[in-house]
Amino acid sequence: MSEPKLSTADILAKIRAAKPSASSDAPAAPAPPAPVVESSAPEPSAVEAAPAPPKPKAAPAAKPGSTSDILAAIRAQGAKGGAAEAPAESAAPKAAAAPKAAPAAKPGSTSDILAAIRAGKGSAAAPTVTAEAPAAKAAVKPVAAATSGVAKPSVEDMLKAVRGGGAIAAVAIATPAVPVKPVLPPMPMRPSAAKDKKSTGTDRRSFVAACLSPLAIGFGSMAATSLLWLLDLARFMFPNVLVEPPTKFKIGPASDYPLGNVSTKWLAARGVWIVHTDQYKGRNLIYAIASVCTHLGCTPNWLEGEQKYKCPCHGSGFYINGINFEGPAPRPLERVGIKLASDGQLEVDKSVKFQEEMGQWEDTNSFVDGALA
Ligand code: FES
C-alpha cells in the first residue's frame, strides 16, 4: 500500500503537534506520543504500533507558531539532552544505543537539524527526529564522510524524501561527482616548428632580393612596355572624331550686305568674307571668299583703308574682288558656294570651291545677283 505524500504543512503540523511531548518533562512512555502522526500519516513504524497515551496535563507547552519557533524548540530540546533521550530511545531503535556512546551535543544550527532529518530517513515522524538529533548527529558523520565530494541534496529533496520515506543519502550518492580536470603546464614549442618559423623569414628576404634583381627589373620593364603598346593599339582601333561646324550655314538676307562692302562678320567663326561689289567685270554680285592665302595658306587681313586683302606671312595682296596683285601668291583667292535660300536668306556652302583661273567664277553657284539686296 503506497503512502500518501505529505505536504510541507503536514510536516510542520506534525512537528507542532509533537512539540509538547518532546519538550515536556513527562515520564518516559513506552511509545512516543504521536497521535497526530497516526491520524494524518499512517506509516508502518513503531510510532503507529504504540497505543496513543493521553496527553500530559502537568506541563502543557505552548504550541510553536512558525518554522523558526519550531527550530528554536528543537535546539532547546537538544540542550536538555537527557530529558529528550527517553522518548528517543523508545521511538528510534537506532538512537537507543547511541546515548551512552555519544554524549548529547547541542544541535546549534539548522544544518545540524537537517542532518538529523536525513539520518532519520523521513519514515519517522518529526518529533522522533527531533528527539534523536544528538545521537543522529554522530550517525550522520560517517554518511557525510562517505558522501564527501558529492552534491549536497537540497531542502526540497529532503522534503520529498520525508514524504515518500526515501533515504536522502541514496539521493546524494546517486548524484555523480563532477571530476576536476588537472591544470597542465604549457607545452614547449617543437624544434621543427621553430625551424619552420625561421625559414619563413629567410624565404621572405629571398623573395625581396629576387624581385630587385636585374633580370626581374628587365622583365618588369618589358611587361610595362607591352602593356602600354596594347593600350595604344586599342586606342588606334577607335577613329578620331573631329567636331567641325556644318559646311552649310545661313548668313541672313542680302540687304545686310550693301554694295562696296566687305563683311568680316563670319571671318572668325566660318572663315569667309561676304563681299558685295561690282568690281569684277562690272557685274553687281554678292559672293563669299575663303580667307586662305593661295601662297602657303595663311589668313590675310582685310584692310578697309586700302581696300585690299593683305597676307601677313609673305606680303601677298589681293583686290576687293580677290584677284591677286602683289606678293608671292600665284593665283586669286577662292570663292565658296552661295545661293539664295527659299526663306529669303543667303546660304553659304563651304564644301564647294570655285577658282578664277579655272573659269569657275562664272558658275551661278559662286555668286548671287546683287540687285536682290
Ligand atoms: Fe600669304 Fe605667303 S602665305 S603670302
Side-chain angles (χ1 to χ4, degrees):
M1 182 176 179
S2 62
E3 297 175 2
K5 283 189 175 181
L6 294 176
S7 63
T8 306
D10 293 338
I11 295 169
L12 294 175
K14 287 179 184 180
I15 295 172
R16 289 177 189 128
K19 174 65 179 65
S21 61
S23 61
S24 66
D25 295 330
V36 179
V37 173
E38 287 181 359
S39 61
S40 60
E43 295 183 4
S45 63
V47 178
E48 286 183 353
K55 289 186 177 179
K57 296 179 181 178
K63 197 174 182 179
S66 63
T67 306
S68 59
D69 293 338
I70 295 169
L71 294 174
I74 291 172
R75 291 191 186 100
Q77 189 177 3
K80 289 181 179 180
E85 285 176 10
E89 288 177 359
S90 60
K94 290 181 181 178
K100 292 182 179 179
K106 184 179 180 181
S109 64
T110 306
S111 60
D112 294 338
I113 297 169
L114 294 175
I117 293 173
R118 293 189 198 112
K121 297 186 178 182
S123 59
T128 305
V129 173
T130 303
E132 66 181 3
K137 185 176 180 182
V140 165
K141 286 184 178 178
V143 176
T147 59
S148 61
V150 177
K152 191 176 181 180
S154 63
V155 177
E156 187 179 15
D157 293 336
M158 290 188 293
L159 291 174
K160 287 181 180 178
V162 169
R163 292 173 192 143
I168 300 300
V171 175
I173 292 171
T175 305
V178 178
V180 179
K181 290 184 178 180
V183 179
L184 299 176
M187 296 294 291
M189 184 182 292
R190 290 183 299 137
S192 59
K195 186 177 180 181
D196 294 343
K197 191 174 181 181
K198 188 176 181 181
S199 64
T200 302
T202 305
D203 293 343
R204 188 180 298 111
R205 287 193 293 272
S206 301
F207 176 75
V208 173
C211 291
L212 296 178
S213 66
L215 186 63
I217 293 174
F219 274 107
S221 301
M222 187 175 66
T225 305
S226 300
L227 180 62
L228 292 175
W229 183 81
L230 289 175
L231 292 176
D232 188 62
L233 180 63
R235 175 66 185 87
F236 178 75
M237 300 302 292
F238 297 94
N240 291 326
V241 178
L242 181 60
V243 180
E244 292 183 345
T247 56
K248 290 183 178 181
F249 53 95
K250 293 183 176 179
I251 60 174
S255 58
D256 292 348
Y257 306 96
L259 180 63
N261 183 52
V262 175
S263 175
T264 58
K265 180 179 179 182
W266 303 97
L267 178 65
R270 303 294 182 175
V272 293
W273 289 291
I274 308 301
V275 181
H276 186 187
T277 182
D278 55 357
Q279 295 186 16
Y280 183 72
K281 298 183 179 179
R283 301 167 63 182
N284 185 6
L285 302 175
I286 298 176
Y287 44 83
I289 295 178
S291 60
V292 178
C293 181
T294 53
H295 178 220
L296 294 177
C298 291
T299 302
N301 296 314
W302 168 247
L303 302 180
E304 183 69 24
E306 299 179 14
Q307 292 288 301
K308 66 177 182 182
Y309 307 97
K310 188 67 174 180
C311 181
C313 295
H314 306 98
S316 298
F318 307 87
Y319 295 118
I320 188 174
N321 55 12
I323 301 297
N324 57 306
F325 68 93
E326 63 179 354
R331 55 188 179 89
L333 297 174
E334 296 177 350
R335 293 181 183 178
V336 296
I338 187 171
K339 68 178 182 178
L340 187 63
S342 59
D343 58 352
Q345 295 190 59
L346 297 174
E347 183 181 72
V348 177
D349 184 6
K350 289 185 65 175
S351 63
V352 291
K353 293 185 178 179
F354 302 93
Q355 298 179 4
E356 194 276 338
E357 68 276 13
M358 302 289 292
Q360 295 173 349
W361 282 15
E362 300 298 328
D363 192 327
T364 56
N365 290 325
S366 66
F367 59 89
V368 173
D369 190 356
L372 300 175

